Amino acid sequence: NQYGPMLVKENADRDDVTYVSERTTEFPGVTVNDDYVRNYPKGNVASHILGYTGAITQDELKQEAFEGLENDSVVGKSGVELTYEEVLRGRAGEQVYNVDALGRIVPEGSRVDSLGRFVDANGDPIVVDPSKELPDRVKDPVPGKDLALTVDLDLQRLAEAELEAAIARAQSEGYAGSGGAVVAMDPRNGEIMALASRPDFDPQLFVGGISGSQEMEAFKYLNSEYANYPFTDRAITGGQPAASTFKPFTGLAGLTFGVIDAYTTVTDTGECWRPTGSDWGCWQSWRENSPNYEYLGPHGTQNFAEAIKDSNDKFFYQVADWLWNATEDEDWLPHFYERFGFGQLTGVDLAGETPGRIPTRAGEKELYAAMGRPDEAYWSVGDWVNLSIGQGDLLVSPLQLARAYAVLYNGGTLVTPHVGGEIRQDGKVVEEIAPEPAGQVDV
C-alpha cells in the first residue's frame, strides 16, 4: 500500500531512535512510533494455550480473517492469540484527507493557481499547516476486548510440574521421554482447567520480532529436530494410540450390543487367547509379558468391572470377538467408538487440533494405498481385537480422551472443550463463552 506506513525496523534500540530523531531533515517521511506490545509475565506457563503474536505476512493479508489490516500489523499466530484474534485486536482509527496529485492536503474551498499554489476565492495564497488541517472524515479507533480464560493458574502450574516430573522419571528409566501432554477439564461443561504440552516455548521471544544473536539462536533451536517440535500442542494433536485407556469403551460396546452384561466373566489361564474358530496367533495380556509374571500369575476369572480394575487385555479381546461374530457390520465397533468423539475434531478453541483416526475397513484401504502398500489392507477380527485395547492403527489426542471420559461422568453429553471463558469490555462482561455440546451419547 503506497499510501500506508511501511515498517522499517521493529524493536529499535535507543541509539537508533536518537540517530533518526536528530536527523529528521535527512530522513523525510521517517517517524519513530511508540507502540503497545504483548507481555507474558508468567514466561513459559500455558504457552500452548496463549500462543504468540508476530508481524502479519503477505499471505495472511490475503486471508479473510485479516482483511483490511495494515502492512505493519501484529497478529496472533497460535493459541488463543490466533483463535480470538478479532476479539483481542480491536479496530484501528482513521483520518481521511483530500489530497492532490502531489499528495498535498487540499484545503476546503481552495483552488490551485498558475504557480501551483492553493488560493482562496480572492486569489490570495493559502498557507497550509498539515498538523492543523481538519480531516474530511474521522473514524474513531475501537480498543480490543479482554479475554478471560477458564484456566486455573495454580492447577496449570501443578500440571506442568507433574508433567515435567513424569518425563524426567521416564528418562531416568531409559525411555526417550521426548514429550508429553496433560489435560484437566470440567466434565460438566467442557471448561479446560489446565492444558500443558512438552516441550514448550517462551512466547515472549516473539514480541518485537526475533532480533539479536541470542534470540536468533533460540529461534533456530526451537525449529530444529533436536527441539522435538515445541510449537506442536500434543494435548490437542490426535497422534497417539489410546492403549488401555480405551478399554471402558470396548466394555460399553459389549454391554450396548448385549454380548455381555455386568456378570459376564472371562477366564485367563495364562494360555494363548485366540479368536473364535481360529488356530493362529497367540494373544496374551500384559501380565504374561511382564517380567513379574512369576509373582503376578494370570488374571483368572473376571467380570467387566474387575477387568477394568486389573486392565485385563484378554477380557476385552473376548468382547471384541463376541461382537465381531454377533454382527455382519464390520465397522460396527469403530463406529461405536466414534459416538464418543474419537476420530473427530473436538471443536476446542485452540488452533492446530487434529482429528486422529478410528480405523475402519474403508479407511484401512485408503491408509495402505496412500503408503503404496494396497495389498496389505486386510481387515479382520484381529483389527477389532487390536482396537479393543487401544492399539492397531488407532490415533487419539489427550483432549479427545478427556472428553470421552466426561461422557461417562456427565450422563452422556459430548461437551465442546474450550479455554475461553468470558469476553470483557471496560471491565464488564459482554459475552460468556459457553459452546453448545456436540451431541448426546445414548448408551
Side-chain angles (χ1 to χ4, degrees):
N1 177 7
Q2 60 179 320
Y3 300 111
M6 183 178 72
L7 182 64
V8 176
K9 185 167 186 177
E10 192 174 26
N11 204 25
D13 59 36
R14 184 175 299 177
D15 290 344
D16 293 333
V17 172
T18 302
Y19 187 89
V20 171
S21 300
E22 290 177 346
R23 295 166 175 79
T24 54
T25 56
E26 296 178 36
F27 301 107
V30 178
T31 59
V32 177
N33 289 330
D34 290 328
D35 213 346
Y36 289 100
V37 296
R38 277 283 188 268
N39 181 37
Y40 301 93
K42 308 302 179 186
N44 292 35
V45 175
S47 58
H48 290 92
I49 297 175
L50 298 176
Y52 62 94
T53 60
I56 196 168
T57 65
Q58 291 301 309
D59 288 338
E60 287 170 335
L61 281 167
K62 300 173 186 176
Q63 297 174 14
E64 184 178 348
F66 303 109
E67 187 177 357
L69 294 188
E70 297 290 344
N71 296 340
D72 60 347
S73 297
V74 173
V75 298
K77 298 290 185 177
S78 70
V80 295
E81 291 280 22
L82 175 58
T83 308
Y84 292 95
E85 161 71 25
E86 291 190 43
V87 171
L88 298 167
R89 180 199 310 151
R91 190 179 71 237
E94 186 177 76
Q95 293 181 342
V96 179
Y97 297 88
N98 282 322
V99 298
D100 64 7
L102 300 176
R104 299 179 301 176
I105 297 174
V106 179
E108 187 177 355
S110 68
R111 60 185 179 85
V112 179
D113 65 9
S114 59
L115 299 176
R117 301 174 301 177
F118 293 120
V119 296
D120 60 19
N122 298 321
D124 297 324
I126 300 173
V127 179
V128 179
D129 184 350
S131 66
K132 296 180 180 179
E133 197 66 32
L134 295 176
D136 294 275
R137 189 171 73 250
V138 176
K139 184 170 69 175
D140 290 331
V142 177
K145 299 180 179 69
D146 296 329
L147 175 67
L149 303 181
T150 60
V151 176
D152 182 305
L153 182 58
D154 290 335
L155 186 61
Q156 178 72 27
R157 284 173 166 155
L158 177 65
E160 294 192 19
E162 289 298 325
L163 175 56
E164 289 179 354
I167 290 173
R169 285 195 300 273
Q171 292 172 342
S172 70
E173 293 173 10
Y175 297 99
S178 55
V182 172
V183 176
M185 186 182 75
D186 188 328
R188 300 166 299 178
N189 51 28
E191 290 185 355
I192 293 175
M193 316 302 288
L195 182 147
S197 180
R198 286 295 184 274
D200 62 351
F201 60 94
D202 184 355
Q204 197 70 35
L205 175 67
F206 299 91
V207 174
I210 306 294
S211 61
S213 59
Q214 283 188 319
E215 286 191 353
M216 289 299 294
E217 282 297 316
F219 183 69
K220 184 178 179 181
Y221 170 74
L222 289 173
N223 283 282
S224 71
E225 62 177 294
Y226 304 105
N228 197 29
Y229 312 105
F231 301 119
T232 298
D233 187 349
R234 286 162 167 77
I236 64 173
T237 304
Q240 303 86 29
S244 293
T245 60
F246 217 52
K247 291 173 181 175
F249 306 102
T250 301
L252 279 174
L255 292 169
T256 300
F257 200 98
V259 297
I260 66 169
D261 60 26
Y263 306 102
T264 303
T265 60
V266 173
T267 300
D268 170 23
T269 63
E271 299 297 318
C272 290
W273 179 91
R274 293 187 176 94
T276 302
S278 173
D279 57 0
W280 55 268
C282 182
W283 301 76
Q284 294 284 25
S285 184
W286 64 269
R287 280 205 168 186
E288 280 79 31
N289 296 315
S290 169
N292 298 319
Y293 182 67
E294 179 182 351
Y295 308 102
L296 293 171
H299 291 284
T301 300
Q302 295 182 329
N303 61 23
F304 178 27
E306 292 166 332
I308 286 289
K309 178 187 63 122
D310 207 26
S311 196
N312 181 350
D313 293 339
K314 289 184 177 178
F315 182 93
F316 300 99
Y317 295 157
Q318 188 61 66
V319 171
D321 182 45
W322 283 333
L323 284 168
W324 176 271
N325 287 286
T327 176
E328 295 182 357
D329 182 358
E330 295 183 352
D331 286 329
W332 188 92
L333 185 57
H335 289 331
F336 181 84
Y337 295 133
E338 289 172 350
R339 293 163 69 175
F340 291 86
F342 295 113
Q344 305 157 34
L345 297 175
T346 67
V348 66
D349 48 355
L350 291 171
E353 183 185 19
T354 60
R357 181 174 63 229
I358 291 288
T360 60
R361 185 180 184 88
E364 287 293 274
K365 289 182 179 179
E366 293 178 8
L367 177 63
Y368 281 91
M371 294 190 296
R373 295 147 47 194
D375 295 340
E376 296 180 31
Y378 182 70
W379 188 252
S380 72
V381 63
D383 294 281
W384 279 28
V385 171
N386 273 344
L387 261 180
S388 72
I389 61 165
Q391 301 292 350
D393 289 323
L394 173 74
L395 296 175
V396 306
S397 72
L399 185 59
Q400 285 177 336
L401 276 169
R403 183 167 75 149
Y405 272 85
V407 170
L408 306 184
Y409 175 88
N410 65 31
T413 302
L414 194 62
V415 297
T416 300
H418 56 104
V419 296
E422 294 176 342
I423 297 173
R424 300 170 183 167
Q425 184 94 56
D426 299 325
K428 298 179 181 178
V429 177
V430 295
E431 181 184 345
E432 291 188 359
I433 301 172
E436 290 294 319
Q440 194 73 18
V441 183
D442 183 19
V443 295

